[in-house]
Amino acid sequence: MLLLNNIEVIYSDVIQVLRGVSMQAPEGKIVALLGANGAGKTTTLRAISGLLRAQEGKVTRGNIEFGGQRIDNLDPENIVRLGIIQVLEGRRLFRHLTVEENLLLGGIARGGIARDLEQVYEYFPRLKDLRRRVSGYLSGGEQQMLVIGRGLMAHPKLMMLDEPSLGLAPLLVQEIFEEIKKMSEREGMAIILVEQNARLALKIADYAYVMENGRVVLDGPAAQLAENEDIKEFYLGLTQVGERKSYRDVKHYKRRKRWLG
Amino acid sequence: MRKSLFTLMAALLAVALVLSACAPQPTPTEPPPPTAAATEAPTEEPTPSGPPDLTGETITIYHFGDLSGPLAAITTPLIHGAEDAVKAINESGGIYGATLEVKFADTGGKAEEAVAAYDRFTSEDPNALVMITYGSGEAEALAQRFAEDKIVNITAGLSSKAFYGAGSGYTFGLGPIYPDQMGATMKFLSENWDTYKPSDAGDEIKLAYLSWPTAFGQGGLTAESRAYLADLGIEIVAEETYDVSPTADTTTAILTAQAAGANVIWTNTLAFGPAAILNDLNSLGLRDQFVVAGDNWSMDLATYAFLAEPAYGVGLIAPFPYLWWTDTGNTGVQYAQTLFTANERPASEHNVGYLLLVAGVDMTVKALTHAIDTVGYENLNGEAVHDALVEMSPFDVLDGVLRMDFSGGSRSPHMSQIRMIQGGPDAFNVLQDWAETPDLRPQE
Amino acid sequence: MNWQLLPQFVVTGLLAGGPLALTALGLVLIFKSTYIFNFAQGQLLLLGALFTWWFAVEAGFPLWLSIVLALVFSALLGFGIERFALRPMTGQPLLSIVLMTLGLSQALHGLALLFFGGAQRNFPQIFSAANPYKVTTPFIYNDNPIVIILKQNLVWSFVIAILGVLVIGAFFRYTHAGLAMRGASEDHELAQSIGLRIHRIFGVSWALAGVVATLGGVLLATSSGLDLSLSVVVLAAFPVVLLGGLESIPGTIVGGLLIGLSQGLVSASSLSMIRNTSEIMPYVVLLIVLLIRPEGLFGQKRIERI
Amino acid sequence: MGVPRPAGEFDTTYAYDMATIRRNWQWWLLIAFIVSLYALPFYASQSIVSLVNRIAITVIAIQGLNLLTGYTGQISLGQAAFMTTGGYISALLVNLAGWHFLAALPAAALGAGIVGLLFGLPSLRVKGFYLTMSTLAAQFIIPWFTRNIFPDILNGAQGVNVRVPFMFGIEFNSPQKYIYLSLTALVLTTIAAHNISRSRLGRAFIAIRDHDLAAELLGMNLFKYKLQAFFLAAVYAGIAGALAAHNIRHLNSETFNLNNSVMYLGMLVIGGLGSNLGPFFGAFVVEMLIEFATLFGPFFITLFPATAAGAVQALKPLFFGVTLMLFLIFEPRGLAHRWQLLKTAWRLRPFSH
């Protein structure tokens, strides 16, 4: 459904952040986007959602298609109306509004209705109890649920989640990821999941891309990637248990790094 | 380099002081001989016997006004009055053939702008003769300059400081100064208290001075006017101010005055100033408890524009140092009316400003003519016009629309009627005919 | 203290706070959504009143129609201001934006002067200027109960102004459009990410501020008359906004009433020096607020979690 | 000083590095300019002398504002109020106490400075826009005081007539003479402003403007520096106010009003914030606009039926406001920045970079 074709993004006419990124996100599937800090994951999401513009960024080459329509460099408002929602990093919410007001705002672009609220409360029953609370006072996990729920209110065809696990307790992350999985299956929604926590991401994702330095360096079905040695080492943090890191490992790292770059 | 910077500056300062000592005088006050007149001068110089022929000459009158500030309500007709009067005079031959011209500067009611305009005017015309000013603040700021540069200032801003402050002497009023006006009105009221007093008022006049917190608004209150009121046995029980704005609420001022036992209100304001008090007195249902009086400007059509009902104006008392449009028996008023009709001025300008400037231009022409007769055109300067105004006194302007008297060191007239609004607009009826006002000019 | 006048001036002061609150509302509306403090609000107020005057007096339309037309005009004006003066300033520092609204106020003042002239003018009456309401209070002075006299137009201006604030407040609280505006005001980027058209929302905020300003202008002008100095009333509304809290709609009412009350209280003093402070009372209150509680009574203290 | 210089020109001594003016011909140009201003009364008409006189006084007021707003980043709407303070102090000292003008002027500066300090006090707790409100309060409260305290001396709303300075046997009663006072004051205040901006204090101001939190973390006493900026701005205003009052010869609570404060801010932005040339450019350009409005207004205004012909005051705020808005949108760094670009282009000619 979503197709990125060799796109390039430049900030402030000078700084090139993405160099020829191509990827796709099919209906009803979860796509994980992995990579270190500064690899260009968030920029990719912003390129899709149109929010680049607020930061003086621009897609300068390549194109982005959604359902057969070119959407690169459209206004974010219009992209949302096509059914693409980016859930921003850092659990950004309208802190002075209540939970329910936050949710209603999520649906406002398509004329949010009360029935949609019930749907969100089904996924996250806890929000229902908290719906009159001022959202700024919620706990981190509750805020994350709210943010995802708010995205859901727009009935998106594609939801992009930017680091939903950041700073949350592992159990909570588990719970939230399960709901995400459920959502994508039930609503037939494509999901792009940007994560640092590669293990979890690969567990629920169907397909994954690995980015470095503004390029996609590796991609493949999630299960397959999870078995890839380099992924294991660099992103899952798995080495043979108990073994001391030796000079050989470092050399190996360097080799791998070259390959990845 | 830094050292040399300071050396340079020190040198500059020294030079500056020397330079300022020998700075050129503000372009000479002695008139340069008018080139055209110079040739024919000798024949007429000794005794100006026959009327001189000044065809081709131009005499400029400079006019300061406020078309954008709080006094704009009256200024527009003021300018039109001057323009129309000058046009008519030129059509009938000017002053011995010389063309009269008016140059106007909009100062927005600010002294700073008035000074700038003054410098521009005196720069254009080294022999400026007459300037007409309007606001009290302007007149006060420029008073010294007029005296130094010997330029006659005919002013409608009648606060006493402009006339008699230190170093003034060339400022002449179109009406009595505000302390005189208040004194005259209060004298009249105290003499006729039984006739005009509110039904439940006592035998004593208790005065409340409710006005704007501006030079004009406070112009009536001077040491002399206070002393004069005290002599009349009138106590000032309240002095309150309100905003210079059509939206000003005078409720607290009025109620404070009432609580202090006031039965007469004096307001030194114009247009929406008196209207605010009259409106609020009616809105509060207190109109019958006060005699309301104000300066000459307060009794004008401009006030009606702000009254909630025209009837609210009824009963306002004011000194009236000129005739009014309704005095159609007077040829001067007839003349002004002819000008007004001929130039198709809108009805809203049928007010004191227009009439007064037709008269003011007439007064200027009389003074200029007299000065030319006395010293000759080639010697015509501000001083001559000044002397003419004093020598002519007492004299009537525009066939008695104004009665001027600048004798005895007084530079504002001391004659006024007292009038009262009785009925619809324009029904400014005479309560007391022309009479001498008290002379409350500041004692040096 | 002039005890006899105290109840009267307290009530008069409170009533005067109504139009102040409405004027302050215009400022709050713009600040809430755009974080711009609009120094040109006074000129919007003036132009709103001038438009009404022009339609009613010059064009001869019925008063209600004139007001409606003026509301439309000022809404368009507000919309235009956002589009052409403030949108280009997006991302500029506070100083530039403050100066932009100051420049705007000068330019609008010049335009008003140019198109309407400096002369004062009569404004159509909406409320009766006669027959004041008289209320007998339980307070006794010199063995007589104190009677408060209230001008009809003052009372009705107050009622309409407060109603106006309440209606706008309800609009913000209970409608989707209001919710969108509240959302946009909090976080521009987040609002964009969920599909709010923030520039349209900013435009609407300015248009709404124009509407509110026109209402205020008409209410203030109808009691007496109209001239260019009408715009200065907004100078008394600045303190109201700071007192109530820059983002708070209910704050405008409380702030307006308190400022009006403070003016009424000093007016009842028996010392003329203290009575005269009535004109600067809003600014004295303002300084006190700045020193004691800068965020105002109902201002948002930032909710931050660590 | 951040201006690109041609290749091959290096600072070889500290004196050269610190020098404001590096070339001899620049010295001569500056001297020639100043001399031509001082000689103005000998070759220019009175209206031009009067205009330059007013511009000089305005520039002083704006220089003060530049220290507070341009360098320290605190927006002030109270500059005119501090001018009122200075004007009254000087007027009273000269009129009543019979002080020499040269003694009254520093007293006026100091007095205004102290009052400015008082209204800077809220900077302890608030900043940015809130602080602007505090200065706006000054713009109402100070004139109120002149109207209401000591009515016997200050004469309430009517204000006071201000005596013409009389020094060295000269009465400064015409623009041709007064301009020497204004220009000399301007030269001195310019040197002072220039040195303040280059000193430790000036750098502290800039640090506060650019990031006050960071400046505080570096151990700077923010409050102290902000107060100093307020004080200095008001000192400049006091000097300008005294000069203006003795020039107008009349002073009341409305002589310098909110409108003046707004104009000064606008002039500063048009000229260039945080540049010592900014006040000169700004005052000059805006005064020229106003002169333009005065000269050509009457023709222009006849196009508008509602406006009385001659109401040139309508054009002044319009021209000023629109100019200010255009500058904010297209050249927020003001004319001084343009001037730098021009100079750079000239120095580096024929290469553009």
Side-chain angles (χ1 to χ4, degrees):
Chain A
M1 173 165 23
L2 177 79
L3 211 65
L4 268 67
N5 204 352
N6 207 16
I7 63 163
E8 238 180 55
V9 167
I10 292 184
Y11 280 115
S12 312
D13 296 330
V14 217
I15 310 154
Q16 185 170 12
V17 183
L18 295 190
R19 314 149 196 265
V21 170
S22 300
M23 61 172 65
Q24 47 182 335
E27 229 163 294
K29 301 283 188 218
I30 300 181
V31 173
L33 192 52
L34 309 178
N37 278 334
K41 296 167 298 186
T42 301
T43 302
T44 310
L45 296 196
R46 286 181 172 275
I48 298 168
S49 67
L51 286 173
L52 269 184
R53 283 185 153 198
Q55 298 176 332
E56 301 203 1
K58 229 171 162 182
V59 177
T60 50
R61 218 181 264 174
N63 57 57
I64 303 174
E65 277 179 27
F66 184 71
Q69 187 187 349
R70 272 191 72 159
I71 58 164
D72 38 308
N73 295 330
L74 277 185
D75 278 334
E77 295 99 282
N78 295 327
I79 292 177
V80 169
R81 280 171 179 72
L82 292 173
I84 299 179
I85 280 282
Q86 179 184 3
V87 175
L88 296 170
E89 186 178 13
R91 301 193 286 277
R92 295 259 289 271
L93 30 76
F94 300 105
R95 295 175 170 271
H96 296 103
L97 304 187
T98 64
V99 169
E100 190 156 298
E101 283 171 340
N102 264 281
L103 290 175
L104 283 173
L105 269 175
I108 223 165
R110 52 179 298 278
I113 331 166
R115 202 180 55 226
D116 300 338
L117 278 176
E118 288 309 316
Q119 187 192 1
V120 173
Y121 291 147
E122 228 172 88
Y123 286 111
F124 304 110
R126 209 177 320 171
L127 291 182
K128 187 164 191 175
D129 306 330
L130 298 170
R131 64 179 199 265
R132 304 245 171 266
R133 288 274 293 278
V134 172
S135 63
Y137 294 120
L138 299 184
S139 76
E142 291 159 352
Q143 290 189 353
Q144 190 59 54
M145 293 176 194
L146 177 54
V147 166
I148 296 173
R150 191 181 60 206
L152 192 61
M153 286 293 290
H155 279 282
K157 298 187 187 116
L158 166 68
M159 192 190 307
M160 302 184 285
L161 299 164
D162 200 348
E163 309 226 2
S165 71
L166 198 72
L168 295 184
L171 268 178
L172 211 60
V173 174
Q174 196 101 36
E175 187 188 329
I176 289 173
F177 275 35
E178 272 162 26
E179 296 304 322
I180 293 176
K181 181 97 183 154
K182 227 190 279 173
M183 260 182 231
S184 99
E185 282 164 4
R186 244 195 258 169
E187 318 290 332
M189 184 167 63
I191 287 182
I192 298 180
L193 181 63
V194 164
E195 258 302 339
Q196 296 272 10
N197 188 338
R199 189 190 328 216
L200 263 177
L202 290 176
K203 208 181 272 179
I204 63 163
D206 300 296
Y207 200 87
Y209 293 85
V210 179
M211 288 186 76
E212 252 174 50
N213 287 334
R215 293 202 175 107
V216 173
V217 291
L218 195 63
D219 67 296
Q224 197 181 322
L225 280 189
E227 295 307 314
N228 183 309
E229 247 180 70
D230 294 316
I231 297 290
K232 265 193 201 161
E233 182 160 349
F234 303 142
Y235 295 100
L236 305 182
L238 298 177
T239 47
Q240 276 113 326
V241 185
E243 233 177 68
R244 271 189 71 213
K245 284 205 170 158
S246 67
Y247 180 63
R248 206 185 56 84
D249 290 336
V250 178
K251 264 177 74 181
H252 172 75
Y253 170 81
K254 276 193 166 166
R255 178 174 57 79
R256 290 301 190 187
K257 212 54 184 172
R258 220 168 23 241
W259 161 76
L260 283 169
Chain B
M1 279 303 195
R2 272 163 77 84
K3 238 182 216 165
S4 47
L5 187 67
F6 282 108
T7 333
L8 170 76
M9 292 314 160
L12 268 176
L13 294 190
V15 173
L17 286 174
V18 178
L19 278 178
S20 53
C22 56
Q25 287 303 309
T27 17
T29 40
E30 312 88 279
T35 42
T39 47
E40 47 193 282
T43 52
E44 298 184 344
E45 174 67 19
T47 41
S49 45
D53 179 18
L54 303 176
T55 312
E57 299 293 326
T58 302
I59 299 174
T60 309
I61 302 171
Y62 299 91
H63 192 177
F64 298 72
D66 168 13
L67 282 171
S68 41
L71 303 181
I74 288 192
T75 318
T76 312
L78 211 65
I79 295 167
H80 288 158
E83 280 174 359
D84 295 351
V86 163
K87 200 170 90 187
I89 284 163
N90 286 334
E91 277 165 6
S92 62
I95 303 177
Y96 296 135
T99 313
L100 214 55
E101 140 187 87
V102 186
K103 279 195 178 163
F104 178 77
D106 180 14
T107 63
K110 288 199 67 184
E112 202 182 359
E113 302 268 1
V115 171
Y118 178 88
D119 284 345
R120 199 170 60 245
F121 283 157
T122 50
S123 174
E124 281 170 13
D125 182 355
N127 189 31
L129 302 169
V130 177
M131 296 192 178
I132 299 174
T133 57
Y134 181 42
S136 299
E138 281 171 21
E140 283 177 28
L142 293 174
Q144 278 190 1
R145 285 179 172 80
F146 286 128
E148 280 165 13
D149 298 343
K150 300 210 162 102
I151 298 169
V152 168
N153 171 27
I154 294 177
T155 186
L158 304 173
S159 83
S160 64
K161 271 173 67 190
F163 291 81
Y164 304 109
S168 55
Y170 270 70
T171 301
F172 293 88
L174 280 171
I177 55 175
Y178 299 127
D180 290 10
Q181 294 195 14
M182 185 163 79
T185 313
M186 290 308 142
K187 179 161 172 278
F188 170 79
L189 276 180
S190 65
E191 283 164 0
N192 302 284
W193 187 233
D194 286 337
T195 320
Y196 297 106
K197 75 173 188 180
S199 50
D200 47 359
D203 289 337
E204 309 252 294
I205 295 181
K206 305 277 187 194
L207 179 63
Y209 192 100
L210 310 187
S211 203
W212 290 339
T214 62
F216 167 44
Q218 300 298 310
L221 280 179
T222 61
E224 291 74 23
S225 66
R226 286 176 197 274
Y228 183 77
L229 292 187
D231 285 349
L232 289 177
I234 296 174
E235 189 191 349
I236 303 180
V237 293
E239 291 172 28
E240 302 295 315
T241 58
Y242 56 95
D243 294 344
V244 190
S245 158
T247 54
D249 189 343
T250 59
T251 306
T252 51
I254 289 171
L255 291 176
T256 306
Q258 186 202 22
N263 45 31
V264 175
I265 292 174
W266 175 271
T267 179
N268 226 69
T269 56
L270 59 79
F272 49 87
I277 288 185
L278 292 167
N279 281 340
D280 282 341
L281 280 174
N282 280 288
S283 304
L284 293 167
L286 299 174
R287 182 65 188 92
D288 54 355
Q289 299 197 15
F290 294 96
V291 172
V292 182
D295 62 299
N296 63 301
W297 312 108
S298 70
M299 189 179 287
D300 186 52
L301 284 192
T303 305
Y304 277 94
F306 298 95
L307 289 174
E309 300 280 337
Y312 289 179
V314 172
L316 179 71
I317 294 176
F320 219 77
Y322 33 73
L323 296 181
W324 188 242
W325 296 99
T326 45
D327 300 321
T328 45
N330 179 284
T331 48
V333 174
Q334 287 166 9
Y335 173 72
Q337 183 62 54
T338 324
L339 292 185
F340 193 89
T341 321
N343 290 288
E344 296 175 347
R345 298 299 181 191
S348 63
E349 293 184 10
H350 202 245
N351 71 4
V352 59
Y354 192 93
L355 183 62
L356 205 59
L357 255 285
V358 174
V361 168
D362 183 62
M363 175 167 137
T364 310
V365 170
K366 279 197 166 67
L368 288 171
T369 313
H370 187 95
I372 294 172
D373 290 346
T374 318
V375 300
Y377 182 71
E378 60 278 17
N379 294 324
L380 183 62
N381 58 15
E383 192 175 6
V385 180
H386 170 275
D387 295 346
L389 280 171
V390 176
E391 279 167 25
M392 282 154 60
S393 295
F395 61 102
D396 279 0
V397 173
L398 208 63
D399 299 331
V401 171
L402 292 172
R403 299 187 181 191
M404 289 299 165
D405 186 354
F406 300 124
S407 55
S410 169
R411 284 185 298 278
S412 62
H414 293 285
M415 293 293 284
S416 180
Q417 303 174 324
I418 304 281
R419 296 206 184 192
M420 184 189 222
I421 300 182
Q422 290 168 326
D426 260 13
F428 301 165
N429 297 343
V430 179
L431 298 185
Q432 175 184 296
D433 209 356
W434 291 98
E436 193 102 1
T437 66
D439 183 356
L440 302 177
R441 75 178 102 146
Q443 308 303 310
E444 286 298 322
Chain C
M1 196 48 102
N2 205 330
W3 298 110
Q4 177 193 2
L5 290 174
L6 187 61
Q8 167 82 47
F9 286 176
V10 164
V11 176
T12 314
L14 287 173
L15 289 182
L20 266 185
L22 189 63
T23 311
L25 177 65
L27 294 165
V28 168
L29 282 178
I30 292 177
F31 189 87
K32 254 178 106 72
S33 60
T34 60
Y35 278 101
I36 290 171
F37 193 87
N38 180 22
F39 280 95
Q41 188 69 17
Q43 274 66 35
L44 287 182
L45 193 101
L46 168 66
L47 282 170
L50 282 172
F51 289 150
T52 312
W53 170 83
W54 193 88
F55 285 121
V57 177
E58 293 285 286
F61 293 136
L63 185 60
W64 65 268
L65 183 61
S66 307
I67 295 177
V68 171
L69 286 171
L71 290 177
V72 172
F73 260 65
S74 356
L76 287 176
L77 179 68
F79 215 79
I81 288 174
E82 194 278 331
R83 179 66 191 82
F84 295 107
L86 287 147
R87 200 175 301 174
M89 301 297 290
T90 313
Q92 296 282 335
L94 172 79
L95 174 75
S96 304
I97 290 174
V98 164
L99 275 158
M100 180 50 107
T101 63
L102 281 172
L104 197 61
S105 74
Q106 294 274 324
L108 289 178
H109 183 83
L111 281 179
L113 201 50
L114 206 55
F115 281 99
F116 295 95
Q120 294 84 6
R121 40 184 61 86
N122 200 354
F123 199 84
Q125 295 282 317
I126 300 177
F127 313 111
S128 165
N131 306 324
Y133 302 117
K134 295 194 176 178
V135 184
T136 310
T137 64
F139 304 109
I140 306 288
Y141 184 84
N142 281 352
D143 298 331
N144 290 315
I146 296 177
V147 177
I148 296 180
I149 316 172
L150 298 172
K151 295 195 290 182
Q152 269 200 37
N153 45 23
L154 191 66
V155 174
W156 286 109
S157 292
F158 176 83
V159 170
I160 290 179
I162 297 294
L163 271 181
V165 180
L166 292 177
V167 166
I168 299 275
F171 165 79
F172 258 75
R173 180 107 256 145
Y174 300 112
T175 67
H176 276 173
L179 181 62
M181 291 172 88
R182 278 190 289 154
S185 75
E186 263 196 48
D187 186 334
H188 296 171
E189 194 191 33
L190 177 58
Q192 276 190 308
S193 83
I194 62 165
L196 296 183
R197 301 182 191 277
I198 56 167
H199 286 300
R200 188 183 290 177
I201 290 176
F202 293 169
V204 170
S205 303
W206 276 86
L208 213 53
V211 165
V212 166
T214 302
L215 266 185
V218 169
L219 285 182
L220 285 164
T222 186
S223 53
S224 42
L226 173 59
D227 87 337
L228 297 180
S229 68
L230 185 66
S231 59
V232 304
V233 297
V234 84
L235 293 175
F238 291 165
V240 170
V241 177
L242 286 197
L243 177 59
L246 275 164
E247 294 107 342
S248 170
I249 291 177
T252 60
I253 295 186
V254 178
L257 294 184
L258 284 180
I259 296 268
L261 178 65
S262 70
Q263 288 181 300
L265 282 179
V266 294
S267 301
S269 166
S270 43
L271 293 171
S272 87
M273 177 83 168
I274 295 181
R275 279 205 300 280
N276 285 344
T277 59
S278 150
E279 53 177 306
I280 52 161
M281 220 38 215
Y283 281 90
V284 175
V285 174
L286 171 85
L287 281 181
I288 296 170
V289 170
L290 284 182
L291 284 171
I292 296 175
R293 196 184 157 87
E295 75 272 18
L297 295 176
F298 301 95
Q300 287 176 352
K301 275 189 230 154
R302 273 193 269 159
I303 303 168
E304 273 170 26
R305 296 181 63 87
I306 303 158
Chain D
M1 305 268 300
V3 186
R5 281 187 273 158
E9 189 190 329
F10 300 110
D11 300 324
T12 46
T13 60
Y14 278 114
Y16 194 72
D17 182 32
M18 290 301 292
T20 313
I21 295 167
R22 291 194 167 83
R23 296 291 182 81
N24 269 334
W25 64 267
Q26 288 168 328
W27 267 109
W28 291 116
L29 210 63
L30 179 66
I31 291 171
F33 177 65
I34 297 178
V35 167
S36 71
L37 281 184
Y38 271 89
L40 209 56
F42 292 96
Y43 61 86
S45 77
Q46 170 164 311
S47 58
I48 291 180
V49 175
S50 159
L51 178 65
V52 173
N53 185 30
R54 269 177 285 135
I55 292 182
I57 296 172
T58 308
V59 170
I60 297 177
I62 304 177
Q63 282 175 332
L65 195 62
N66 193 23
L67 287 174
L68 181 60
T69 305
Y71 281 107
T72 321
Q74 315 295 315
I75 310 169
S76 167
L77 283 174
Q79 196 70 348
F82 305 133
M83 287 176 74
T84 306
T85 315
Y88 264 98
I89 292 175
S90 177
L92 293 181
L93 288 178
V94 172
N95 274 16
L96 296 176
W99 281 35
H100 196 276
F101 178 71
L102 286 186
L105 192 62
L110 190 68
I114 292 168
V115 173
L117 209 59
L118 287 180
F119 283 93
L121 283 179
S123 64
L124 178 62
R125 296 213 48 183
V126 296
K127 62 179 186 180
F129 155 75
Y130 288 90
L131 201 53
T132 310
M133 282 291 144
S134 158
T135 59
L136 188 61
Q139 195 60 67
F140 288 89
I141 291 173
I142 291 173
W144 181 89
F145 269 99
T146 69
R147 284 198 299 272
N148 287 281
I149 57 169
F150 307 124
D152 298 339
I153 301 171
L154 298 185
N155 219 348
Q158 296 193 54
V160 291
N161 285 331
V162 187
R163 273 204 203 138
V164 172
F166 183 81
M167 291 182 295
F168 318 111
I170 307 159
E171 205 172 12
F172 290 83
N173 61 357
S174 69
Q176 282 89 343
K177 294 177 193 160
Y178 207 89
I179 195 169
Y180 290 107
L181 287 181
S182 318
L183 283 179
T184 308
L186 178 60
V187 167
L188 293 174
T189 56
T190 308
I191 296 174
H194 189 66
N195 281 313
I196 291 169
S197 68
R198 282 152 53 96
S199 68
R200 184 187 160 77
L201 190 60
R203 289 193 299 276
F205 286 168
I206 294 172
I208 291 173
R209 175 192 68 192
D210 291 346
H211 210 299
D212 57 354
L213 207 63
E216 192 163 26
L217 287 174
L218 286 172
M220 285 170 50
N221 184 344
L222 273 193
F223 185 48
K224 189 183 91 184
Y225 284 116
K226 281 187 185 170
L227 283 188
Q228 279 173 346
F230 267 98
F231 177 77
L232 284 173
V235 163
Y236 272 77
I239 295 171
L243 284 171
H246 286 276
N247 183 42
I248 299 173
R249 304 195 208 174
H250 186 260
L251 180 63
N252 63 28
S253 61
E254 296 168 346
T255 307
F256 313 116
N257 54 31
L258 179 60
N259 215 29
N260 292 63
S261 288
V262 174
M263 292 280 280
Y264 297 150
L265 258 183
M267 287 176 179
L268 182 57
V269 168
I270 291 171
L273 283 159
S275 152
N276 289 324
L277 281 177
F280 289 88
F281 284 129
F284 180 75
V285 166
V286 174
E287 290 287 354
M288 283 299 127
L289 271 179
I290 289 174
E291 280 300 296
F292 179 79
T294 313
L295 291 179
F296 298 102
F299 307 108
F300 186 67
I301 276 176
T302 46
L303 302 173
F304 295 88
T307 320
V312 292
Q313 297 288 339
L315 293 178
K316 293 181 186 179
L318 183 62
F319 285 3
F320 168 70
V322 170
T323 310
L324 177 57
M325 289 163 70
L326 290 177
F327 263 89
L328 284 167
I329 294 175
F330 296 109
E331 185 52 284
R333 281 174 293 186
L335 283 168
H337 178 68
R338 278 279 134 197
W339 173 247
Q340 290 287 19
L341 292 182
L342 209 69
K343 270 199 325 199
T344 311
W346 168 252
R347 281 187 199 166
L348 302 182
R349 75 192 184 287
F351 313 107
S352 61
H353 288 295

